[in-house]
Amino acid sequence: MPGGKGGDALAAWAERTGRRRAAGHGRGGLRFAIYGRVSTEDHQDPVTSLARQRDQAAALVAGHGQIVAEFCDVGYSRMLAWARRPQAAALVAALADPDRGWDAIVIGEYERAFYGGQYSSMAPLFEHYGIQLWTPEVGRRIDFGAEDHEETMLALGFQSKREIVRTKIRVRTAMAMQTREQGRYLGGRPPYGYRLADAGPHPNKVHASWGRRAHRLEPDPATAPVVKWMFAQRLAGHSVARITRALNDAGIPCPSAADPKRNPHRTGIAWTLSTVAAILANPRYTGHQVWNRQRTDLDLVDPANTGLGHRPVQRWNLPAGWVISARPAHPAIVSEADYIAAQDASAPRGPAGPATRRYLLAGLLRCGTCGRRLESAWSNGKPAYRCRHGYTSAARPDPGRPKNLYVREDQILPRLAALAILQASDDRAPGGRKHGSAQVTTPAQAADLIDHLRATGVTIIYDPATRAIRTDTKQAVAVSVG
């Protein structure tokens, strides 16, 4: 049979054609774009790391083409999705451009590019645009349809994730032990009232050979007395607002003004309620080192698009989750007994605690005088709302400001139905109609109306002069709550 037996010639031709196409386009072979990444500039040398990745990539594609474009991210974690790394996102954006100037992507190290299941989400995109992907771990081009290549990539992705998780566990375990057993200062800005003092050579011999020194906290002669006074005032029964106002009236510099070098991101204008509350809640003033007061959670960037990955969110831990040194680690500014008493003094007054306080209309009410959103405020054992027209207790009151607005929730809830009926009638008939007194009589009715207000973005305005509520719509209607 001319040309071979039983289709052998056809098979040989197909194989030769496939090899020619795999070898590249034209005489120069494939045109590669390299993707590289370095996590942080502080702990890695970007020049050295990226050079190593380039060498590994160049060795992999030798004889198959040449690298003609580079996309390198510096200072971005592998945990970030490609869409959230600037250079990786630019590479992805170039895929759809037929004039991009390259035909394949090469990666010097797998974990520089992919983490967890990221490969599974990116491979279909590369395949869709006909872009080859080369990695040293496979030793050549990845066959997107080959089961063994798929399994290898998935295994490498989870190994990359395991490396991060394992490192995180080891670091956290070490920090907990260093705090509990050694009372070691673990870095960060010293709390207001303290300053850093030398504590001798670094306990790690390697770090000590580099000249690094350990540090500890010692009371700052200028600010430690202020902290003592704040705790004394709190134990005397004074509110956080009154303490804040007294500090500002006395002209005592706030923490960011007292240490501007470590607080360049803060204005340093005056003391605030949150600053005073944070100082009174800091257990390190007892002389013990305390770690893990805050934790970092990973929340989805967009629950509707899980491919964007997660973002770190700082949240406070309960005291039961703190790691406290077994022995005092630095001189105390307040005693443990006084610190505990100050925390008890900050407990909410009245029989209802924070867990039992619910504000059904939170975020839905505005002040008819100044337009500000009303604050939730517990009043005589019941939920209520107030507006202080921009005034806070941390500053002295302005005699010319309007009187504070107060309205109880149980004054508004029964009239929501009437407001809804009048609003619906007003939408149908511009002239409006008179309706009888309609009231909310069950919690289910109130919940439905509140959900409707939130869904439609309608805000209720309370006017203290007329004691009436109205909507913020074009054709507003009013209902008296008096």
Side-chain angles (χ1 to χ4, degrees):
M1 181 181 293
K5 296 181 180 180
D8 289 347
L10 181 61
W13 171 82
E15 185 176 353
R16 290 195 305 272
T17 303
R19 283 200 298 266
R20 286 199 301 268
R21 290 185 178 179
H25 304 274
R27 295 180 181 179
L30 286 170
R31 299 168 299 172
F32 286 92
I34 180 176
Y35 175 72
R37 183 189 59 80
V38 183
S39 296
T40 59
E41 295 183 61
D42 295 334
H43 299 93
Q44 297 183 37
D45 177 13
V47 175
T48 304
S49 178
L50 293 175
R52 184 183 69 252
Q53 295 176 51
R54 290 190 193 98
D55 289 346
Q56 291 175 324
L60 176 63
V61 303
H64 301 280
Q66 59 181 340
I67 297 174
V68 298
E70 289 190 6
F71 297 87
C72 299
D73 281 308
V74 178
Y76 292 87
S77 169
R78 73 181 76 172
M79 297 174 63
L80 293 176
W82 277 49
R84 297 173 60 205
R85 306 180 209 164
Q87 289 297 305
L91 185 151
V92 172
L95 292 177
D97 183 5
D99 299 323
R100 58 183 170 269
W102 42 270
D103 320 299
I105 299 171
V106 60
I107 294 167
E109 295 176 1
Y110 179 91
E111 62 271 15
R112 299 293 177 180
F114 301 112
Y115 167 87
Q118 290 177 357
Y119 169 80
S120 297
S121 62
M122 296 304 301
L125 191 63
F126 299 148
E127 187 176 17
H128 174 77
Y129 288 107
I131 299 296
Q132 297 181 17
L133 179 63
W134 292 56
T135 66
E137 289 77 10
V138 174
R140 59 185 187 278
R141 174 178 66 90
I142 294 176
D143 185 348
F144 296 124
E147 185 176 350
D148 58 335
H149 284 197
E150 178 77 13
E151 291 176 352
T152 300
M153 292 299 102
L154 292 177
L156 289 169
F158 287 108
Q159 179 180 330
S160 176
K161 182 176 181 179
R162 179 178 177 273
E163 180 183 335
I164 293 290
V165 173
R166 185 183 179 190
T167 301
K168 184 184 296 184
I169 293 174
R170 292 176 63 183
V171 169
R172 289 182 58 82
T173 302
M175 294 179 74
M177 186 61 64
Q178 290 166 1
T179 299
R180 184 183 297 110
E181 302 300 329
Q182 302 174 2
R184 189 188 299 183
Y185 174 74
L186 298 177
R189 291 194 302 270
Y192 177 81
Y194 283 107
R195 64 185 181 185
L196 290 181
D198 184 81
H202 197 281
N204 185 304
K205 293 183 179 180
V206 175
H207 289 265
S209 67
W210 296 340
R212 296 187 63 183
R213 310 284 294 179
H215 295 91
R216 62 180 177 82
L217 298 176
E218 68 175 17
D220 184 345
T223 57
V226 179
V227 175
K228 280 187 177 181
W229 178 85
M230 292 167 65
F231 274 92
Q233 293 296 301
R234 188 62 175 147
L235 293 174
H238 298 303
S239 68
V240 173
R242 183 171 179 177
I243 297 172
T244 305
R245 185 167 61 247
L247 290 168
N248 286 326
D249 289 346
I252 296 174
C254 63
S256 53
D259 191 3
K261 290 184 179 179
R262 288 193 178 92
N263 298 275
H265 58 297
R266 303 182 188 276
T267 61
I269 296 176
W271 289 85
T272 64
L273 294 173
S274 59
T275 301
V276 173
I279 290 175
L280 294 173
N282 193 336
R284 288 201 283 176
Y285 292 115
T286 63
H288 287 270
Q289 187 61 264
V290 181
W291 176 75
N292 201 40
R293 293 182 64 210
Q294 276 189 310
R295 68 182 188 275
T296 302
D297 293 337
L298 295 177
D299 291 357
L300 285 170
V301 174
D302 183 1
N305 183 6
T306 56
L308 292 177
H310 298 76
R311 60 185 176 89
V313 179
Q314 294 280 329
R315 292 192 173 94
W316 290 101
N317 283 326
L318 294 174
W322 298 352
V323 178
I324 304 172
S325 63
R327 297 173 297 277
H330 49 263
I333 293 180
V334 298
S335 67
E336 293 182 37
D338 284 349
Y339 172 79
I340 294 172
Q343 307 319 297
D344 293 339
S346 65
R349 298 178 180 177
T356 62
R357 297 182 178 184
R358 295 184 61 217
Y359 300 94
L360 300 179
L361 300 175
L364 292 177
L365 301 174
R366 286 194 179 276
C367 174
T369 301
C370 67
R372 289 181 172 84
R373 198 177 298 273
L374 299 192
E375 303 173 346
S376 302
W378 205 251
S379 176
N380 297 321
K382 295 181 179 181
Y385 303 90
R386 71 180 181 185
C387 181
R388 295 187 288 180
H389 315 296
Y391 162 75
T392 67
S393 302
R396 291 197 173 276
D398 179 5
R401 69 181 180 89
K403 293 180 61 177
N404 290 349
L405 176 157
Y406 287 92
V407 60
R408 296 197 315 272
E409 190 173 87
D410 59 11
Q411 292 177 305
I412 297 177
L413 285 179
R415 297 299 182 183
L416 286 182
L419 191 68
I421 292 172
L422 289 174
Q423 183 66 41
S425 173
D426 196 70
D427 290 340
R428 290 193 300 267
R433 301 176 185 172
K434 292 184 179 180
H435 290 265
S437 175
Q439 293 192 1
V440 173
T441 58
T442 66
Q445 288 177 317
D448 289 342
L449 288 171
I450 292 170
D451 288 344
H452 176 72
L453 290 172
R454 296 190 189 279
T456 55
V458 175
T459 300
I460 298 174
I461 299 173
Y462 175 71
D463 187 350
T466 60
R467 292 181 57 80
I469 56 174
R470 69 179 189 275
T471 60
D472 62 347
T473 54
K474 285 185 177 181
Q475 297 177 348
V477 294
V479 174
S480 173
V481 299

